[in-house]
Amino acid sequence: MIRFSTSADACIPALPQPALLLEFARSQELPETALMRGSRLLPQALDTAGGRITPAQYLQLLENLLKLAGSPDTSFLLGQQMLPGQAGAISHALLHAPDLRHALDLLCAGHARLTPLLCPRWREADGMAVLYWSDSFGAHSLRPALVEMHMAALVSLCRWLSGARLPWRFCFNRAAPRHVEQHEVHLGSALRFNCHLDAMLVDASCLDQPWPRGSNVVSALALRQAEAELQAAPGLLAALYDYLLEHVRCAPSLEQASATFGFSAATMKRHLQRHGTHFQAELDQVRSHVALYLFLAQRADNEAVAHYLGFHDAANFRRSFKRWTGLTPGLLREGLAIQA
């Protein structure tokens, strides 16, 4: 049975991440009562060690703060304070990561504590390291701000630990915003929008360059002590994504997935509906991400990707891919080649 948390479970420690929102509001002299509106929380709940809140409450606080601040750089400023965080031993291990490869591995292993609202995954392919973010609990309209927060968090962490600004490239599953200059200030100029994936790319040569602040010994010791943090259950959508990714070649069904998660198909439907999605949408997302990876990393053609994903023929795959992304595979490949 697969372990997971839902948006209604009190699974996120109030300290430090949600508390950062309160600290930021206080620094901007924003009203605390307005920050808490709709969350059923009191400010002292975020000042109490050991307290926990639900992902839904965390998202409500973030939505309130973004509206109160009314500034396009708020998400980036919040992100710069996120990592390595204060999530116990896993944060300590991240703080002493000896290089980017170790940092990405730690971030992904400890994401339920380090980045609970978005789940990072990374792969090395075609001379590039690609880290991409997927939803954990159903962020909906807050997804762009969360992506900005998390990208800014990783950029800031890597810059501090490495002593240099790494040559990241950024892909966004959204149209370009009105205030793109904020992205350029906080992330850099290598920005691509309408990419069907929220991802960060960097040359693979950066993965193993030693970081002056890092320590293999200290990081490894802290990681051994991080058992509790690593056992934290991921969000339902993150857990389902991992299941679908593992079984994507076998055309996984709602019934099969539900049984693996330990409940009926009807219960799975209700869970997903509460998170603002449905099974086919999650499966299509995973299929589109796998297709993008095969196009980009392995230079696969339509026939190869169709075969990998279990389609009977390339024409059927092309129709499905256009439904997933709004583009034909050929147009998407051309875009990737032009903008790479």
Side-chain angles (χ1 to χ4, degrees), residues 310-340:
F311 285 86
H312 295 301
D313 54 60
N316 190 20
F317 165 70
R318 282 195 298 271
R319 288 191 295 270
S320 295
F321 189 85
K322 187 173 183 180
R323 175 170 56 82
W324 302 337
T325 67
L327 295 172
T328 64
L331 286 175
L332 185 65
R333 280 199 303 272
E334 289 176 12
L336 291 172
I338 292 170
Q339 301 178 62

PDB file of all heavy atoms in Angstrom, residues 310-340:
ATOM      1  N   GLY A 310       3.042   2.595 -25.243  1.00  0.00           N
ATOM      2  CA  GLY A 310       2.030   1.572 -25.428  1.00  0.00           C
ATOM      3  C   GLY A 310       0.931   1.908 -26.399  1.00  0.00           C
ATOM      4  O   GLY A 310      -0.128   1.254 -26.396  1.00  0.00           O
ATOM      5  N   PHE A 311       1.148   2.890 -27.274  1.00  0.00           N
ATOM      6  CA  PHE A 311       0.153   3.212 -28.299  1.00  0.00           C
ATOM      7  C   PHE A 311       0.286   2.233 -29.464  1.00  0.00           C
ATOM      8  O   PHE A 311       1.382   1.763 -29.775  1.00  0.00           O
ATOM      9  CB  PHE A 311       0.332   4.652 -28.793  1.00  0.00           C
ATOM     10  CG  PHE A 311      -0.150   5.691 -27.833  1.00  0.00           C
ATOM     11  CD1 PHE A 311       0.679   6.155 -26.821  1.00  0.00           C
ATOM     12  CD2 PHE A 311      -1.443   6.199 -27.914  1.00  0.00           C
ATOM     13  CE1 PHE A 311       0.236   7.110 -25.919  1.00  0.00           C
ATOM     14  CE2 PHE A 311      -1.890   7.144 -27.019  1.00  0.00           C
ATOM     15  CZ  PHE A 311      -1.056   7.603 -26.018  1.00  0.00           C
ATOM     16  N   HIS A 312      -0.850   1.969 -30.114  1.00  0.00           N
ATOM     17  CA  HIS A 312      -0.843   1.007 -31.219  1.00  0.00           C
ATOM     18  C   HIS A 312      -0.110   1.545 -32.441  1.00  0.00           C
ATOM     19  O   HIS A 312       0.489   0.775 -33.197  1.00  0.00           O
ATOM     20  CB  HIS A 312      -2.278   0.625 -31.589  1.00  0.00           C
ATOM     21  CG  HIS A 312      -3.000  -0.112 -30.507  1.00  0.00           C
ATOM     22  ND1 HIS A 312      -2.554  -1.312 -29.996  1.00  0.00           N
ATOM     23  CD2 HIS A 312      -4.133   0.190 -29.814  1.00  0.00           C
ATOM     24  CE1 HIS A 312      -3.373  -1.734 -29.052  1.00  0.00           C
ATOM     25  NE2 HIS A 312      -4.339  -0.840 -28.918  1.00  0.00           N
ATOM     26  N   ASP A 313      -0.170   2.848 -32.660  1.00  0.00           N
ATOM     27  CA  ASP A 313       0.509   3.423 -33.815  1.00  0.00           C
ATOM     28  C   ASP A 313       0.831   4.883 -33.539  1.00  0.00           C
ATOM     29  O   ASP A 313       0.323   5.495 -32.592  1.00  0.00           O
ATOM     30  CB  ASP A 313      -0.341   3.288 -35.086  1.00  0.00           C
ATOM     31  CG  ASP A 313      -1.736   3.878 -34.913  1.00  0.00           C
ATOM     32  OD1 ASP A 313      -1.844   5.092 -34.641  1.00  0.00           O
ATOM     33  OD2 ASP A 313      -2.720   3.113 -35.009  1.00  0.00           O
ATOM     34  N   ALA A 314       1.689   5.455 -34.382  1.00  0.00           N
ATOM     35  CA  ALA A 314       2.143   6.833 -34.191  1.00  0.00           C
ATOM     36  C   ALA A 314       1.016   7.834 -34.388  1.00  0.00           C
ATOM     37  O   ALA A 314       0.984   8.882 -33.731  1.00  0.00           O
ATOM     38  CB  ALA A 314       3.287   7.130 -35.155  1.00  0.00           C
ATOM     39  N   ALA A 315       0.073   7.523 -35.267  1.00  0.00           N
ATOM     40  CA  ALA A 315      -1.027   8.464 -35.513  1.00  0.00           C
ATOM     41  C   ALA A 315      -1.888   8.634 -34.260  1.00  0.00           C
ATOM     42  O   ALA A 315      -2.290   9.752 -33.906  1.00  0.00           O
ATOM     43  CB  ALA A 315      -1.877   7.980 -36.680  1.00  0.00           C
ATOM     44  N   ASN A 316      -2.160   7.543 -33.586  1.00  0.00           N
ATOM     45  CA  ASN A 316      -2.933   7.598 -32.352  1.00  0.00           C
ATOM     46  C   ASN A 316      -2.187   8.397 -31.284  1.00  0.00           C
ATOM     47  O   ASN A 316      -2.771   9.198 -30.543  1.00  0.00           O
ATOM     48  CB  ASN A 316      -3.218   6.181 -31.856  1.00  0.00           C
ATOM     49  CG  ASN A 316      -4.218   6.154 -30.723  1.00  0.00           C
ATOM     50  OD1 ASN A 316      -4.978   7.107 -30.515  1.00  0.00           O
ATOM     51  ND2 ASN A 316      -4.220   5.074 -29.975  1.00  0.00           N
ATOM     52  N   PHE A 317      -0.877   8.185 -31.226  1.00  0.00           N
ATOM     53  CA  PHE A 317      -0.064   8.946 -30.278  1.00  0.00           C
ATOM     54  C   PHE A 317      -0.085  10.431 -30.597  1.00  0.00           C
ATOM     55  O   PHE A 317      -0.214  11.267 -29.699  1.00  0.00           O
ATOM     56  CB  PHE A 317       1.378   8.435 -30.293  1.00  0.00           C
ATOM     57  CG  PHE A 317       2.349   9.376 -29.638  1.00  0.00           C
ATOM     58  CD1 PHE A 317       2.342   9.570 -28.263  1.00  0.00           C
ATOM     59  CD2 PHE A 317       3.265  10.095 -30.406  1.00  0.00           C
ATOM     60  CE1 PHE A 317       3.222  10.462 -27.658  1.00  0.00           C
ATOM     61  CE2 PHE A 317       4.146  10.973 -29.809  1.00  0.00           C
ATOM     62  CZ  PHE A 317       4.124  11.162 -28.429  1.00  0.00           C
ATOM     63  N   ARG A 318       0.033  10.798 -31.878  1.00  0.00           N
ATOM     64  CA  ARG A 318       0.037  12.210 -32.252  1.00  0.00           C
ATOM     65  C   ARG A 318      -1.258  12.892 -31.823  1.00  0.00           C
ATOM     66  O   ARG A 318      -1.241  14.020 -31.318  1.00  0.00           O
ATOM     67  CB  ARG A 318       0.247  12.367 -33.763  1.00  0.00           C
ATOM     68  CG  ARG A 318       1.676  12.203 -34.231  1.00  0.00           C
ATOM     69  CD  ARG A 318       1.861  12.727 -35.642  1.00  0.00           C
ATOM     70  NE  ARG A 318       1.038  11.991 -36.601  1.00  0.00           N
ATOM     71  CZ  ARG A 318       1.441  10.892 -37.238  1.00  0.00           C
ATOM     72  NH1 ARG A 318       2.664  10.417 -37.024  1.00  0.00           N
ATOM     73  NH2 ARG A 318       0.653  10.284 -38.106  1.00  0.00           N
ATOM     74  N   ARG A 319      -2.382  12.211 -32.045  1.00  0.00           N
ATOM     75  CA  ARG A 319      -3.663  12.787 -31.624  1.00  0.00           C
ATOM     76  C   ARG A 319      -3.721  12.974 -30.116  1.00  0.00           C
ATOM     77  O   ARG A 319      -4.172  14.016 -29.625  1.00  0.00           O
ATOM     78  CB  ARG A 319      -4.816  11.901 -32.103  1.00  0.00           C
ATOM     79  CG  ARG A 319      -5.069  11.961 -33.607  1.00  0.00           C
ATOM     80  CD  ARG A 319      -6.376  11.282 -33.959  1.00  0.00           C
ATOM     81  NE  ARG A 319      -6.334   9.843 -33.679  1.00  0.00           N
ATOM     82  CZ  ARG A 319      -5.934   8.920 -34.559  1.00  0.00           C
ATOM     83  NH1 ARG A 319      -5.526   9.288 -35.764  1.00  0.00           N
ATOM     84  NH2 ARG A 319      -5.945   7.644 -34.243  1.00  0.00           N
ATOM     85  N   SER A 320      -3.263  11.983 -29.379  1.00  0.00           N
ATOM     86  CA  SER A 320      -3.282  12.083 -27.922  1.00  0.00           C
ATOM     87  C   SER A 320      -2.338  13.177 -27.434  1.00  0.00           C
ATOM     88  O   SER A 320      -2.680  13.946 -26.533  1.00  0.00           O
ATOM     89  CB  SER A 320      -2.885  10.738 -27.296  1.00  0.00           C
ATOM     90  OG  SER A 320      -3.831   9.742 -27.595  1.00  0.00           O
ATOM     91  N   PHE A 321      -1.161  13.263 -28.045  1.00  0.00           N
ATOM     92  CA  PHE A 321      -0.194  14.266 -27.619  1.00  0.00           C
ATOM     93  C   PHE A 321      -0.729  15.677 -27.838  1.00  0.00           C
ATOM     94  O   PHE A 321      -0.541  16.560 -26.997  1.00  0.00           O
ATOM     95  CB  PHE A 321       1.126  14.078 -28.370  1.00  0.00           C
ATOM     96  CG  PHE A 321       2.246  14.916 -27.841  1.00  0.00           C
ATOM     97  CD1 PHE A 321       3.004  14.484 -26.770  1.00  0.00           C
ATOM     98  CD2 PHE A 321       2.547  16.150 -28.405  1.00  0.00           C
ATOM     99  CE1 PHE A 321       4.040  15.259 -26.259  1.00  0.00           C
ATOM    100  CE2 PHE A 321       3.574  16.932 -27.912  1.00  0.00           C
ATOM    101  CZ  PHE A 321       4.319  16.480 -26.837  1.00  0.00           C
ATOM    102  N   LYS A 322      -1.409  15.879 -28.945  1.00  0.00           N
ATOM    103  CA  LYS A 322      -1.986  17.203 -29.201  1.00  0.00           C
ATOM    104  C   LYS A 322      -3.077  17.518 -28.180  1.00  0.00           C
ATOM    105  O   LYS A 322      -3.223  18.671 -27.752  1.00  0.00           O
ATOM    106  CB  LYS A 322      -2.547  17.271 -30.617  1.00  0.00           C
ATOM    107  CG  LYS A 322      -3.002  18.680 -30.997  1.00  0.00           C
ATOM    108  CD  LYS A 322      -3.390  18.791 -32.455  1.00  0.00           C
ATOM    109  CE  LYS A 322      -3.769  20.231 -32.800  1.00  0.00           C
ATOM    110  NZ  LYS A 322      -4.148  20.373 -34.220  1.00  0.00           N
ATOM    111  N   ARG A 323      -3.817  16.495 -27.742  1.00  0.00           N
ATOM    112  CA  ARG A 323      -4.824  16.711 -26.712  1.00  0.00           C
ATOM    113  C   ARG A 323      -4.170  17.069 -25.386  1.00  0.00           C
ATOM    114  O   ARG A 323      -4.656  17.910 -24.643  1.00  0.00           O
ATOM    115  CB  ARG A 323      -5.690  15.456 -26.559  1.00  0.00           C
ATOM    116  CG  ARG A 323      -6.706  15.521 -25.428  1.00  0.00           C
ATOM    117  CD  ARG A 323      -7.669  14.349 -25.494  1.00  0.00           C
ATOM    118  NE  ARG A 323      -6.988  13.074 -25.470  1.00  0.00           N
ATOM    119  CZ  ARG A 323      -6.561  12.470 -24.355  1.00  0.00           C
ATOM    120  NH1 ARG A 323      -6.735  13.053 -23.177  1.00  0.00           N
ATOM    121  NH2 ARG A 323      -5.975  11.286 -24.407  1.00  0.00           N
ATOM    122  N   TRP A 324      -3.034  16.446 -25.068  1.00  0.00           N
ATOM    123  CA  TRP A 324      -2.348  16.732 -23.812  1.00  0.00           C
ATOM    124  C   TRP A 324      -1.761  18.132 -23.774  1.00  0.00           C
ATOM    125  O   TRP A 324      -1.808  18.817 -22.762  1.00  0.00           O
ATOM    126  CB  TRP A 324      -1.194  15.744 -23.594  1.00  0.00           C
ATOM    127  CG  TRP A 324      -1.574  14.306 -23.572  1.00  0.00           C
ATOM    128  CD1 TRP A 324      -2.808  13.772 -23.300  1.00  0.00           C
ATOM    129  CD2 TRP A 324      -0.711  13.204 -23.870  1.00  0.00           C
ATOM    130  NE1 TRP A 324      -2.759  12.417 -23.404  1.00  0.00           N
ATOM    131  CE2 TRP A 324      -1.490  12.023 -23.747  1.00  0.00           C
ATOM    132  CE3 TRP A 324       0.628  13.085 -24.213  1.00  0.00           C
ATOM    133  CZ2 TRP A 324      -0.957  10.746 -23.958  1.00  0.00           C
ATOM    134  CZ3 TRP A 324       1.158  11.823 -24.419  1.00  0.00           C
ATOM    135  CH2 TRP A 324       0.375  10.672 -24.292  1.00  0.00           C
ATOM    136  N   THR A 325      -1.130  18.540 -24.889  1.00  0.00           N
ATOM    137  CA  THR A 325      -0.306  19.748 -24.875  1.00  0.00           C
ATOM    138  C   THR A 325      -0.823  20.884 -25.748  1.00  0.00           C
ATOM    139  O   THR A 325      -0.357  22.022 -25.617  1.00  0.00           O
ATOM    140  CB  THR A 325       1.125  19.423 -25.343  1.00  0.00           C
ATOM    141  OG1 THR A 325       1.081  19.060 -26.731  1.00  0.00           O
ATOM    142  CG2 THR A 325       1.720  18.285 -24.539  1.00  0.00           C
ATOM    143  N   GLY A 326      -1.745  20.587 -26.660  1.00  0.00           N
ATOM    144  CA  GLY A 326      -2.205  21.602 -27.599  1.00  0.00           C
ATOM    145  C   GLY A 326      -1.308  21.728 -28.818  1.00  0.00           C
ATOM    146  O   GLY A 326      -1.558  22.560 -29.693  1.00  0.00           O
ATOM    147  N   LEU A 327      -0.250  20.927 -28.900  1.00  0.00           N
ATOM    148  CA  LEU A 327       0.683  20.967 -30.024  1.00  0.00           C
ATOM    149  C   LEU A 327       0.877  19.572 -30.586  1.00  0.00           C
ATOM    150  O   LEU A 327       0.734  18.576 -29.866  1.00  0.00           O
ATOM    151  CB  LEU A 327       2.054  21.506 -29.584  1.00  0.00           C
ATOM    152  CG  LEU A 327       2.134  22.957 -29.117  1.00  0.00           C
ATOM    153  CD1 LEU A 327       3.518  23.222 -28.547  1.00  0.00           C
ATOM    154  CD2 LEU A 327       1.852  23.907 -30.265  1.00  0.00           C
ATOM    155  N   THR A 328       1.238  19.488 -31.854  1.00  0.00           N
ATOM    156  CA  THR A 328       1.655  18.207 -32.404  1.00  0.00           C
ATOM    157  C   THR A 328       3.087  17.923 -31.953  1.00  0.00           C
ATOM    158  O   THR A 328       3.848  18.839 -31.633  1.00  0.00           O
ATOM    159  CB  THR A 328       1.604  18.224 -33.932  1.00  0.00           C
ATOM    160  OG1 THR A 328       2.561  19.191 -34.415  1.00  0.00           O
ATOM    161  CG2 THR A 328       0.218  18.580 -34.429  1.00  0.00           C
ATOM    162  N   PRO A 329       3.483  16.655 -31.920  1.00  0.00           N
ATOM    163  CA  PRO A 329       4.869  16.345 -31.535  1.00  0.00           C
ATOM    164  C   PRO A 329       5.899  17.064 -32.396  1.00  0.00           C
ATOM    165  O   PRO A 329       6.929  17.526 -31.894  1.00  0.00           O
ATOM    166  CB  PRO A 329       4.942  14.828 -31.704  1.00  0.00           C
ATOM    167  CG  PRO A 329       3.547  14.358 -31.515  1.00  0.00           C
ATOM    168  CD  PRO A 329       2.688  15.436 -32.117  1.00  0.00           C
ATOM    169  N   GLY A 330       5.611  17.177 -33.704  1.00  0.00           N
ATOM    170  CA  GLY A 330       6.566  17.842 -34.589  1.00  0.00           C
ATOM    171  C   GLY A 330       6.777  19.296 -34.234  1.00  0.00           C
ATOM    172  O   GLY A 330       7.917  19.781 -34.181  1.00  0.00           O
ATOM    173  N   LEU A 331       5.683  20.017 -33.960  1.00  0.00           N
ATOM    174  CA  LEU A 331       5.809  21.428 -33.590  1.00  0.00           C
ATOM    175  C   LEU A 331       6.540  21.589 -32.272  1.00  0.00           C
ATOM    176  O   LEU A 331       7.358  22.488 -32.102  1.00  0.00           O
ATOM    177  CB  LEU A 331       4.425  22.056 -33.504  1.00  0.00           C
ATOM    178  CG  LEU A 331       3.715  22.335 -34.827  1.00  0.00           C
ATOM    179  CD1 LEU A 331       2.297  22.857 -34.573  1.00  0.00           C
ATOM    180  CD2 LEU A 331       4.505  23.359 -35.637  1.00  0.00           C
ATOM    181  N   LEU A 332       6.276  20.681 -31.333  1.00  0.00           N
ATOM    182  CA  LEU A 332       6.957  20.779 -30.042  1.00  0.00           C
ATOM    183  C   LEU A 332       8.449  20.506 -30.187  1.00  0.00           C
ATOM    184  O   LEU A 332       9.284  21.209 -29.610  1.00  0.00           O
ATOM    185  CB  LEU A 332       6.333  19.823 -29.044  1.00  0.00           C
ATOM    186  CG  LEU A 332       6.899  19.935 -27.636  1.00  0.00           C
ATOM    187  CD1 LEU A 332       6.567  21.290 -27.032  1.00  0.00           C
ATOM    188  CD2 LEU A 332       6.370  18.834 -26.732  1.00  0.00           C
ATOM    189  N   ARG A 333       8.805  19.501 -30.989  1.00  0.00           N
ATOM    190  CA  ARG A 333      10.231  19.201 -31.206  1.00  0.00           C
ATOM    191  C   ARG A 333      10.931  20.390 -31.853  1.00  0.00           C
ATOM    192  O   ARG A 333      12.078  20.713 -31.505  1.00  0.00           O
ATOM    193  CB  ARG A 333      10.389  17.945 -32.068  1.00  0.00           C
ATOM    194  CG  ARG A 333      10.226  16.655 -31.301  1.00  0.00           C
ATOM    195  CD  ARG A 333      10.842  15.496 -32.079  1.00  0.00           C
ATOM    196  NE  ARG A 333      10.246  15.380 -33.407  1.00  0.00           N
ATOM    197  CZ  ARG A 333       9.158  14.680 -33.674  1.00  0.00           C
ATOM    198  NH1 ARG A 333       8.527  14.050 -32.723  1.00  0.00           N
ATOM    199  NH2 ARG A 333       8.703  14.622 -34.919  1.00  0.00           N
ATOM    200  N   GLU A 334      10.275  21.026 -32.798  1.00  0.00           N
ATOM    201  CA  GLU A 334      10.864  22.206 -33.434  1.00  0.00           C
ATOM    202  C   GLU A 334      11.103  23.308 -32.407  1.00  0.00           C
ATOM    203  O   GLU A 334      12.151  23.973 -32.415  1.00  0.00           O
ATOM    204  CB  GLU A 334       9.948  22.719 -34.542  1.00  0.00           C
ATOM    205  CG  GLU A 334       9.886  21.825 -35.771  1.00  0.00           C
ATOM    206  CD  GLU A 334       8.881  22.342 -36.790  1.00  0.00           C
ATOM    207  OE1 GLU A 334       8.428  23.492 -36.626  1.00  0.00           O
ATOM    208  OE2 GLU A 334       8.568  21.597 -37.738  1.00  0.00           O
ATOM    209  N   GLY A 335      10.154  23.498 -31.520  1.00  0.00           N
ATOM    210  CA  GLY A 335      10.313  24.516 -30.478  1.00  0.00           C
ATOM    211  C   GLY A 335      11.452  24.201 -29.544  1.00  0.00           C
ATOM    212  O   GLY A 335      12.238  25.080 -29.173  1.00  0.00           O
ATOM    213  N   LEU A 336      11.574  22.939 -29.166  1.00  0.00           N
ATOM    214  CA  LEU A 336      12.677  22.550 -28.291  1.00  0.00           C
ATOM    215  C   LEU A 336      14.018  22.743 -28.986  1.00  0.00           C
ATOM    216  O   LEU A 336      14.985  23.203 -28.372  1.00  0.00           O
ATOM    217  CB  LEU A 336      12.520  21.075 -27.881  1.00  0.00           C
ATOM    218  CG  LEU A 336      11.355  20.755 -26.942  1.00  0.00           C
ATOM    219  CD1 LEU A 336      11.210  19.251 -26.784  1.00  0.00           C
ATOM    220  CD2 LEU A 336      11.564  21.403 -25.587  1.00  0.00           C
ATOM    221  N   ALA A 337      14.087  22.422 -30.261  1.00  0.00           N
ATOM    222  CA  ALA A 337      15.348  22.564 -30.995  1.00  0.00           C
ATOM    223  C   ALA A 337      15.732  24.026 -31.153  1.00  0.00           C
ATOM    224  O   ALA A 337      16.886  24.402 -31.005  1.00  0.00           O
ATOM    225  CB  ALA A 337      15.225  21.899 -32.369  1.00  0.00           C
ATOM    226  N   ILE A 338      14.750  24.884 -31.405  1.00  0.00           N
ATOM    227  CA  ILE A 338      15.043  26.300 -31.620  1.00  0.00           C
ATOM    228  C   ILE A 338      15.480  26.981 -30.333  1.00  0.00           C
ATOM    229  O   ILE A 338      16.396  27.800 -30.322  1.00  0.00           O
ATOM    230  CB  ILE A 338      13.808  27.016 -32.187  1.00  0.00           C
ATOM    231  CG1 ILE A 338      13.540  26.522 -33.614  1.00  0.00           C
ATOM    232  CG2 ILE A 338      13.964  28.506 -32.186  1.00  0.00           C
ATOM    233  CD1 ILE A 338      12.207  26.983 -34.185  1.00  0.00           C
ATOM    234  N   GLN A 339      14.840  26.582 -29.212  1.00  0.00           N
ATOM    235  CA  GLN A 339      15.058  27.311 -27.972  1.00  0.00           C
ATOM    236  C   GLN A 339      16.077  26.660 -27.047  1.00  0.00           C
ATOM    237  O   GLN A 339      16.355  27.161 -25.981  1.00  0.00           O
ATOM    238  CB  GLN A 339      13.723  27.463 -27.228  1.00  0.00           C
ATOM    239  CG  GLN A 339      12.685  28.195 -28.044  1.00  0.00           C
ATOM    240  CD  GLN A 339      11.377  28.277 -27.307  1.00  0.00           C
ATOM    241  OE1 GLN A 339      11.281  28.869 -26.230  1.00  0.00           O
ATOM    242  NE2 GLN A 339      10.334  27.708 -27.881  1.00  0.00           N
ATOM    243  N   ALA A 340      16.592  25.507 -27.414  1.00  0.00           N
ATOM    244  CA  ALA A 340      17.519  24.807 -26.516  1.00  0.00           C
ATOM    245  C   ALA A 340      18.788  25.595 -26.320  1.00  0.00           C
ATOM    246  O   ALA A 340      19.168  26.405 -27.140  1.00  0.00           O
ATOM    247  CB  ALA A 340      17.836  23.441 -27.101  1.00  0.00           C
TER     248      ALA A 340
END
